[in-house]
Amino acid sequence: MKYRDLGKRGLRVSAIGLGCMGMSHAYGAPADHREMTELLAKAVDMGYDFFDTAEIYGTPDNTHDNEELLGNALKAYRNKIIIATKFGLRFDMESGRVPYPLISDSRPTTIRKAVEGSLRRLQADYIDLYYQHRPDPQIPIEEVAGTMQDLIKEGKVLYWGLSEAPEADIRRANAVCPLTAVQNRYSMMARWHETMFPILEELGIGLVAFSPLANGLLSDRYDAASHFDERTDYRAGMPQFQPESYKKNYELLQFIRRIASERHVTPAQISLAWVLCKKPWIVPIPGTRKSDRLKENAGAVDVLLSEEEVKQIDHALDTMSMSDVYGGTKLTVK
């Protein structure tokens, strides 16, 4: 494993992190805790030290399942790993819809309740990196940043960040309490946040790229016959996994396969290497439940693409057709 600085606030993490949401939520029935505990231990042995979760990554029976899983599985490694978690959202479980609609709530009292709950479940004295999960249109971002500033002074939070926030929020929040990271969806199929790169560079903020494999499509492990349970797996409704989308994405997948074959690596490794080589302050956090994929993803740090190769790939991506890609669940204001 290699390591890199996530922005310019002093937080150094493994160049590939591990997104843990899918162990509990959105990718089928939740995984067995014993198996995931073994997987997380393997991740640490491989050099992963950056683990991503959130207070809402759970199941209908246990809405905080993922934080509890990580708290139990990683407590023996607590002093040598970085755990990122998030506040400010809850699922509307009563809606009867999947994906569950999201309800935002970043009131200071809610944040303080959330941080205490996450600390307890993670079995920790502090949270390494704490994100506002989504902007709250009813709470000024300065108020959120002020609460983070207080929590940092109290030692309950070390670094903080925003997820899926607009440029204005980033600037306003950073002016009150400097941000360490912004977490956004980013992959070869989801490049709309590249317009934000200049501001992140200007302010010294790192980018944590979630869904860097387009929810798994760019791993090249799926085809039109792949089936996802619509009751528990968000991929069942994602545009890139619809049967007709495989024809639309044929050119993209062939393009990635060709580069991977030339390099004697896998499509997933090329897709992750592209993210890593875009900027030295970007850290992708692919998720997995399988040890072979854990190893495969880690191997992407050894695939080096030159600046010219990245430009050539970008040009190809700009000019080829592809399907839409899942852009996330919309917020419900209540």
Coordinates of all heavy atoms in Angstrom, one line a residue, residues 188 191 194 255-256 258-265 269-271 273-279 300 302-318 320:
M188 N -14.9 7.4 -13.8 CA -14.8 7.6 -15.2 C -16.2 8.0 -15.8 O -16.3 8.6 -16.8 CB -14.2 6.4 -16.0 CG -12.7 6.3 -15.8 SD -12.2 4.9 -16.8 CE -10.4 5.0 -16.5
R191 N -18.0 12.5 -13.7 CA -16.9 13.5 -13.7 C -17.4 14.9 -13.4 O -16.6 15.8 -13.5 CB -16.2 13.4 -15.0 CG -15.5 12.0 -15.3 CD -14.9 12.0 -16.7 NE -13.9 13.0 -16.9 CZ -13.5 13.4 -18.1 NH1 -14.1 12.9 -19.2 NH2 -12.6 14.3 -18.2
E194 N -15.4 17.5 -11.3 CA -14.1 18.0 -11.7 C -14.0 19.5 -11.8 O -13.0 20.1 -11.6 CB -13.7 17.4 -13.1 CG -13.3 15.9 -13.0 CD -12.8 15.4 -14.3 OE1 -12.9 16.1 -15.4 OE2 -12.4 14.2 -14.4
F255 N -12.8 -0.1 -24.0 CA -11.7 0.9 -23.9 C -10.9 0.5 -22.6 O -9.6 0.5 -22.6 CB -12.2 2.3 -23.8 CG -11.2 3.4 -23.5 CD1 -10.3 3.7 -24.5 CD2 -11.3 4.1 -22.3 CE1 -9.3 4.7 -24.2 CE2 -10.4 5.1 -22.1 CZ -9.4 5.4 -23.0
I256 N -11.5 0.3 -21.5 CA -10.9 0.0 -20.2 C -10.2 -1.3 -20.3 O -9.1 -1.5 -19.8 CB -11.8 0.1 -19.0 CG1 -12.4 1.5 -18.9 CG2 -11.2 -0.3 -17.7 CD1 -13.5 1.7 -17.9
R258 N -9.0 -2.8 -22.9 CA -7.8 -2.7 -23.7 C -6.6 -2.1 -23.0 O -5.5 -2.7 -23.0 CB -8.1 -1.8 -25.0 CG -6.8 -1.7 -25.9 CD -7.2 -0.8 -27.1 NE -7.6 0.5 -26.8 CZ -6.8 1.5 -26.4 NH1 -5.5 1.3 -26.3 NH2 -7.4 2.7 -26.2
I259 N -6.8 -1.1 -22.2 CA -5.7 -0.5 -21.4 C -5.3 -1.4 -20.4 O -4.1 -1.6 -20.1 CB -6.2 0.9 -20.8 CG1 -6.7 1.9 -21.8 CG2 -5.1 1.4 -19.9 CD1 -7.3 3.1 -21.2
A260 N -6.2 -2.1 -19.7 CA -5.9 -3.1 -18.7 C -5.0 -4.2 -19.2 O -4.0 -4.7 -18.6 CB -7.1 -3.6 -18.0
S261 N -5.4 -4.7 -20.4 CA -4.7 -5.8 -21.1 C -3.3 -5.4 -21.4 O -2.3 -6.1 -21.2 CB -5.4 -6.3 -22.3 OG -4.7 -7.3 -23.0
E262 N -3.1 -4.2 -21.9 CA -1.8 -3.7 -22.2 C -0.9 -3.6 -21.0 O 0.3 -3.7 -21.1 CB -1.9 -2.3 -22.9 CG -2.5 -2.3 -24.3 CD -2.8 -0.9 -24.8 OE1 -2.6 0.1 -24.0 OE2 -3.2 -0.8 -26.0
R263 N -1.5 -3.3 -19.8 CA -0.7 -3.1 -18.6 C -0.6 -4.4 -17.8 O 0.0 -4.4 -16.7 CB -1.4 -2.0 -17.7 CG -1.4 -0.6 -18.3 CD 0.1 -0.1 -18.3 NE 0.1 1.3 -18.6 CZ 0.6 2.2 -17.7 NH1 1.0 1.9 -16.5 NH2 0.6 3.5 -18.1
H264 N -1.3 -5.4 -18.2 CA -1.4 -6.7 -17.5 C -2.0 -6.5 -16.1 O -1.5 -7.1 -15.1 CB 0.0 -7.4 -17.4 CG 0.6 -7.6 -18.8 ND1 0.2 -8.5 -19.7 CD2 1.7 -6.9 -19.3 CE1 0.9 -8.4 -20.8 NE2 1.8 -7.5 -20.6
V265 N -3.0 -5.7 -16.0 CA -3.8 -5.5 -14.8 C -5.3 -5.7 -15.1 O -5.6 -6.1 -16.2 CB -3.5 -4.1 -14.2 CG1 -2.0 -4.0 -13.8 CG2 -3.9 -3.0 -15.2
Q269 N -8.5 -2.0 -11.6 CA -7.2 -1.4 -11.3 C -6.9 -0.2 -12.2 O -6.4 0.9 -11.7 CB -6.1 -2.4 -11.3 CG -6.1 -3.4 -10.2 CD -5.1 -4.5 -10.3 OE1 -4.7 -4.9 -11.4 NE2 -4.7 -5.1 -9.2
I270 N -7.3 -0.3 -13.5 CA -7.1 0.9 -14.4 C -8.1 2.0 -14.0 O -7.7 3.2 -13.9 CB -7.4 0.5 -15.8 CG1 -6.2 -0.4 -16.4 CG2 -7.6 1.7 -16.7 CD1 -4.9 0.4 -16.4
S271 N -9.3 1.6 -13.6 CA -10.3 2.7 -13.3 C -9.9 3.4 -12.0 O -10.0 4.6 -11.9 CB -11.6 2.0 -13.1 OG -12.1 1.4 -14.3
A273 N -6.7 3.5 -10.8 CA -5.4 4.2 -11.1 C -5.7 5.5 -11.7 O -5.0 6.5 -11.5 CB -4.5 3.3 -12.0
W274 N -6.7 5.6 -12.6 CA -7.0 6.9 -13.3 C -7.4 7.9 -12.2 O -7.0 9.0 -12.3 CB -8.2 6.6 -14.3 CG -8.7 7.9 -14.9 CD1 -8.2 8.6 -15.9 CD2 -9.9 8.5 -14.4 NE1 -9.1 9.7 -16.2 CE2 -10.1 9.7 -15.3 CE3 -10.9 8.3 -13.4 CZ2 -11.1 10.6 -15.1 CZ3 -11.9 9.2 -13.3 CH2 -12.1 10.3 -14.1
V275 N -8.3 7.5 -11.2 CA -8.7 8.4 -10.2 C -7.4 8.9 -9.4 O -7.3 10.1 -9.1 CB -9.7 7.7 -9.2 CG1 -10.0 8.6 -8.0 CG2 -11.0 7.4 -9.9
L276 N -6.6 7.9 -9.0 CA -5.4 8.3 -8.2 C -4.4 9.2 -9.0 O -3.8 10.1 -8.3 CB -4.6 7.0 -7.9 CG -5.3 6.1 -6.8 CD1 -4.6 4.7 -6.8 CD2 -5.2 6.7 -5.4
C277 N -4.3 9.0 -10.3 CA -3.4 9.8 -11.0 C -3.9 11.2 -11.5 O -3.2 12.0 -12.1 CB -2.9 9.0 -12.2 SG -1.9 7.6 -11.8
K278 N -5.2 11.4 -11.2 CA -5.8 12.7 -11.6 C -5.2 13.8 -10.7 O -4.8 14.9 -11.3 CB -7.3 12.7 -11.4 CG -8.0 11.9 -12.5 CD -8.1 12.5 -13.8 CE -9.1 13.7 -13.9 NZ -9.3 14.2 -15.3
K279 N -5.1 13.6 -9.4 CA -4.6 14.6 -8.5 C -3.9 13.8 -7.3 O -4.5 12.8 -6.9 CB -5.6 15.5 -7.9 CG -6.3 16.4 -9.0 CD -5.3 17.5 -9.5 CE -6.1 18.4 -10.5 NZ -5.1 19.4 -11.0
A300 N -4.1 -1.3 -7.3 CA -4.2 -0.1 -8.2 C -3.1 0.9 -7.9 O -2.8 1.7 -8.7 CB -5.6 0.5 -8.1
D302 N -0.1 0.6 -7.6 CA 1.1 0.4 -8.3 C 1.0 0.6 -9.8 O 1.9 0.4 -10.6 CB 1.6 -1.1 -8.0 CG 1.9 -1.3 -6.6 OD1 2.6 -0.4 -6.0 OD2 1.6 -2.3 -6.0
V303 N -0.2 1.0 -10.3 CA -0.4 1.2 -11.7 C -0.3 2.7 -11.9 O -1.1 3.5 -11.5 CB -1.8 0.8 -12.1 CG1 -2.0 1.0 -13.6 CG2 -2.1 -0.7 -11.8
L304 N 0.8 3.1 -12.5 CA 1.1 4.6 -12.7 C 0.8 5.0 -14.1 O 1.4 4.5 -15.1 CB 2.6 4.8 -12.3 CG 3.0 4.4 -10.9 CD1 4.5 4.7 -10.7 CD2 2.2 5.1 -9.9
L305 N -0.1 6.0 -14.2 CA -0.4 6.6 -15.5 C 0.3 7.9 -15.6 O 0.2 8.7 -14.7 CB -1.9 6.7 -15.7 CG -2.8 5.4 -15.6 CD1 -4.2 5.8 -15.5 CD2 -2.5 4.5 -16.7
S306 N 0.9 8.2 -16.7 CA 1.5 9.5 -16.9 C 0.5 10.6 -17.1 O -0.7 10.3 -17.4 CB 2.5 9.5 -18.1 OG 1.7 9.4 -19.3
E307 N 0.9 11.8 -16.9 CA 0.0 13.0 -17.2 C -0.6 12.9 -18.6 O -1.8 13.2 -18.8 CB 0.7 14.3 -16.9 CG -0.2 15.5 -16.9 CD 0.6 16.8 -16.6 OE1 1.6 16.7 -15.9 OE2 0.1 17.9 -17.0
E308 N 0.2 12.6 -19.5 CA -0.2 12.5 -20.9 C -1.2 11.4 -21.1 O -2.2 11.5 -21.8 CB 1.0 12.3 -21.9 CG 0.6 12.3 -23.3 CD -0.1 13.5 -23.8 OE1 0.2 14.6 -23.3 OE2 -1.0 13.4 -24.7
E309 N -1.0 10.2 -20.5 CA -1.9 9.1 -20.5 C -3.3 9.5 -19.9 O -4.3 9.1 -20.5 CB -1.3 7.9 -19.9 CG -0.2 7.2 -20.6 CD 0.4 6.1 -19.9 OE1 0.7 6.3 -18.7 OE2 0.7 5.0 -20.5
V310 N -3.3 10.2 -18.8 CA -4.5 10.6 -18.2 C -5.3 11.6 -19.1 O -6.5 11.4 -19.3 CB -4.2 11.3 -16.8 CG1 -5.5 12.0 -16.3 CG2 -3.7 10.3 -15.8
K311 N -4.6 12.5 -19.8 CA -5.2 13.4 -20.7 C -5.8 12.6 -21.9 O -6.9 13.0 -22.3 CB -4.2 14.4 -21.2 CG -3.8 15.5 -20.2 CD -2.8 16.4 -20.8 CE -2.4 17.5 -19.8 NZ -1.4 18.4 -20.4
Q312 N -5.1 11.6 -22.4 CA -5.7 10.8 -23.5 C -6.9 10.1 -23.1 O -7.9 10.0 -23.8 CB -4.6 9.8 -24.0 CG -3.4 10.5 -24.7 CD -2.3 9.5 -25.0 OE1 -2.4 8.3 -24.7 NE2 -1.2 10.0 -25.6
I313 N -6.9 9.5 -21.8 CA -8.1 8.8 -21.3 C -9.2 9.8 -21.2 O -10.4 9.5 -21.6 CB -7.8 8.1 -20.0 CG1 -6.8 7.0 -20.2 CG2 -9.1 7.6 -19.3 CD1 -6.3 6.4 -18.9
D314 N -8.9 11.0 -20.6 CA -10.0 12.0 -20.5 C -10.6 12.4 -21.8 O -11.8 12.5 -21.9 CB -9.4 13.3 -19.8 CG -9.1 13.1 -18.3 OD1 -9.5 12.0 -17.8 OD2 -8.6 14.0 -17.7
H315 N -9.8 12.6 -22.8 CA -10.3 12.9 -24.1 C -11.2 11.8 -24.7 O -12.3 12.1 -25.2 CB -9.1 13.1 -25.1 CG -9.6 13.4 -26.5 ND1 -10.2 14.6 -26.9 CD2 -9.5 12.7 -27.7 CE1 -10.5 14.6 -28.1 NE2 -10.1 13.4 -28.7
A316 N -10.8 10.6 -24.5 CA -11.6 9.5 -25.0 C -12.9 9.4 -24.2 O -14.0 9.2 -24.8 CB -10.9 8.1 -24.8
L317 N -12.9 9.7 -22.9 CA -14.1 9.7 -22.1 C -15.1 10.8 -22.6 O -16.3 10.7 -22.6 CB -13.8 9.8 -20.6 CG -13.1 8.7 -20.0 CD1 -12.7 9.0 -18.5 CD2 -13.9 7.4 -20.0
D318 N -14.5 11.9 -22.9 CA -15.2 13.1 -23.4 C -16.0 12.8 -24.7 O -17.0 13.4 -24.9 CB -14.3 14.3 -23.6 CG -13.8 14.9 -22.3 OD1 -14.5 14.7 -21.3 OD2 -12.8 15.6 -22.3
M320 N -16.8 9.6 -26.1 CA -17.5 8.3 -26.3 C -18.9 8.4 -25.6 O -19.1 9.1 -24.6 CB -16.7 7.1 -25.7 CG -16.6 7.0 -24.2 SD -15.8 5.5 -23.7 CE -14.2 5.7 -24.4

